Amino acid sequence: MARIASVRHALSRGLSRNRDQVRVAFSNRAVRRVQFGLGANQVSEWAYFTALEVFAFEVGGAFAVGLVGVLSELPAAIAAPLTALLGERIRHERLLFGLAVLRSVELAAAGLAFSRGAPPELFYALLGFDSILSSAVYPNQQGLLPRLTRSRDELATSAAVTALVESVGGGIGPVLGGVLLATTNLGVVYGVAAGVMLSSGVLFLGAPRGKPAEAAEPPAQTAPGAHAGEEDEDEEDEEEGGLISDLVEGLRAISGVPDARLLLLLFAVDGLMEGALDVFVIVLALKVLGIGAGGVGGLAAVEMVGGLVGGAFAFRAVHVRGLGVRWTLMGLADAVPPLLLAAFPTLGVVIVMLLAWEALDTLDEAIGLELLRRVIPPPLIPSALGLEDSMVTLSIAIGSIVAPALVVLLGVRGGLLAIGVTAPILVLATLTGMRRIDKRTQLAT
């Protein structure tokens, strides 16, 4: 009984700390609007993307689902390093608003095209275009946060909130898309997604322009050609050169930070797993389990719950020492869901594994972003976030290509087994380097 009481007390204290940190993150009105803006953006993206995946499976099978995955990620992977720097030419909030307006028009046009009987290829092409636009959202949203937060602690907490918001939005969106697709059609899904996307732009536009004087920059490892003590330039200041030259200069500087290269490698492995598992879940749901579009949306709701669990732990995780080693160990744990799904491809196991996977993925993102902020000099953060986004989206695209091929060659269970065995080997190879990062950032943590 005493042991049970002790566990209950520890859980109570942990929940209390998380509530306090959520209050800290959302007490800042500007940060609150930006986070809700990102959440609305996620709901819109995932609503139409999930519906399009189901639509693609119905017209073209597993390879069509893989094609949708590639088109949603590959154009973004190519564009992300460049679009991440747009915030240095246009105020972040104005840029995010303009992107939301343009994307809402594009989604509304797709809905109209469906009502006119447009072929599937048109929706795939529009998905590729939207992928390019979406690549500018996340890095510029993250680039806006340091200008709005009032302390280093608030910034770290906001990073955890971002991962939580993405999980919630990534859960609500597929449920919305799946239910709408099951009860109406793809055109209606696009129309609703357009409205939600526009609301995200309005939220972004309401963020104040100035950077609070109290905001603290995170300590970071210096890279050749960069100085951690430099002050940020105002977005509207005149700068020499163009986006391409800025991109090349930023990437060259980041390449001189060995720790950054290692972190980006781990982000890439995580993206590979995510892309492959997404295709496998769709194939399992529609081909093996036969639960239809509504069932796919229901599985997304399960993922949202897992994201909430992971987000609750993320608030504590970003403030502790030894983040690098912890991240590596979590990467090893990521292999468990596909291995168990390969052994037991039943609905109950799918639900449990999706809960675990999304919880780990939310933790992964929060910890990875915090580690990047610790090792990257502040002036290079936009370039680093753009490169991270590019590597993750490219890896997801590769995973989306690999998964259908594995289904054909090895079957659904054999393919799951293959990715479950391969990914941990890649992750384990980074353990020594992650220990080095923990030593170097000890003072920062």
Side-chain angles (χ1 to χ4, degrees), residues 24-117:
V24 168
F26 282 98
S27 64
N28 186 324
R29 179 178 176 273
V31 172
R32 187 167 64 243
R33 289 186 68 97
V34 170
Q35 299 286 22
F36 280 127
L38 179 65
N41 179 86
Q42 291 292 102
V43 169
S44 176
E45 282 187 357
W46 279 103
Y48 89 80
F49 176 70
T50 301
L52 186 58
E53 280 188 311
V54 176
F55 173 78
F57 183 83
E58 292 173 349
V59 300
F63 273 101
V65 176
L67 177 62
V68 168
V70 171
L71 291 174
S72 70
E73 304 294 344
L74 185 57
I78 296 171
L82 192 61
T83 56
L85 300 179
L86 288 174
E88 297 184 1
R89 294 297 190 276
I90 308 170
R91 285 192 178 276
H92 290 293
E93 66 273 13
R94 294 177 185 173
L95 173 63
L96 292 168
F97 174 72
L99 287 169
V101 171
L102 182 57
R103 296 177 73 192
S104 65
V105 171
E106 174 236 331
L107 291 172
L112 181 62
F114 181 84
S115 68
R116 300 293 179 88

Side-chain angles (χ1 to χ4, degrees), residues 101-406:
V101 171
L102 182 57
R103 296 177 73 192
S104 65
V105 171
E106 174 236 331
L107 291 172
L112 181 62
F114 181 84
S115 68
R116 300 293 179 88
E121 291 76 15
L122 175 65
F123 305 109
Y124 300 158
L126 288 174
L127 174 64
F129 174 68
D130 189 64
S131 173
I132 295 174
L133 299 179
S134 70
S135 69
V137 175
Y138 183 75
N140 284 289
Q141 182 259 357
Q142 285 292 293
L144 184 57
L145 286 178
R147 297 181 174 275
L148 303 177
T149 49
R150 296 163 295 199
S151 68
R152 179 71 182 88
D153 184 65
E154 188 175 87
L155 179 59
T157 301
S158 295
V161 170
T162 295
L164 185 61
V165 166
E166 283 195 304
S167 293
V168 174
I172 295 176
V175 173
L176 178 64
V179 171
L180 286 175
L181 185 64
T183 56
T184 57
N185 57 56
L186 185 63
V188 173
V189 177
Y190 272 112
V192 173
V196 177
M197 182 65 71
L198 186 60
S199 72
S200 77
V202 173
L203 288 165
F204 284 133
L205 191 62
R209 298 181 180 181
K211 179 180 178 182
E214 299 90 344
E217 300 289 2
Q221 177 184 346
T222 8
H227 302 285
E230 291 181 17
E231 295 182 357
D232 288 338
E233 300 285 340
D234 186 90
E235 285 96 339
E236 293 185 341
D237 286 351
E238 294 293 330
E239 297 181 8
E240 296 181 1
L243 284 177
I244 299 296
S245 61
D246 287 351
L247 171 63
V248 172
E249 182 181 348
L251 294 183
R252 185 182 296 118
I254 292 170
S255 68
V257 184
D259 293 346
R261 296 199 301 266
L262 186 62
L263 294 176
L264 291 172
L265 174 62
L266 269 177
F267 272 116
V269 173
D270 187 62
L272 183 68
M273 290 278 286
E274 181 180 342
L277 197 62
D278 183 62
V279 173
F280 278 116
V281 168
I282 294 293
V283 174
L284 276 172
L286 299 178
K287 185 178 180 180
V288 178
L289 301 177
I291 57 179
V296 172
L299 291 180
V302 171
E303 291 184 83
M304 179 180 68
V305 174
L308 290 173
V309 173
F313 285 102
F315 288 109
R316 290 284 296 162
V318 297
H319 294 285
V320 302
R321 296 174 183 268
L323 276 186
V325 172
R326 290 169 187 255
W327 201 26
T328 300
L329 296 177
M330 286 172 57
L332 295 177
D334 280 344
V336 175
L339 290 176
L340 283 180
L341 284 176
F344 310 102
T346 64
L347 181 58
V349 174
V350 168
I351 290 173
V352 173
M353 289 305 99
L354 284 179
L355 279 169
W357 170 266
E358 191 60 29
L360 287 169
D361 192 54
T362 304
L363 269 172
D364 277 346
E365 182 174 353
I367 291 175
L369 284 174
E370 176 60 16
L371 283 169
L372 265 183
R373 293 188 188 279
R374 291 180 182 183
V375 304
I376 295 289
L380 298 180
I381 289 294
S383 294
L385 289 173
L387 186 58
E388 177 267 333
D389 195 35
S390 178
M391 291 194 69
V392 169
T393 50
L394 179 60
S395 300
I396 292 175
I398 293 172
S400 300
I401 296 172
V402 170
L406 290 176

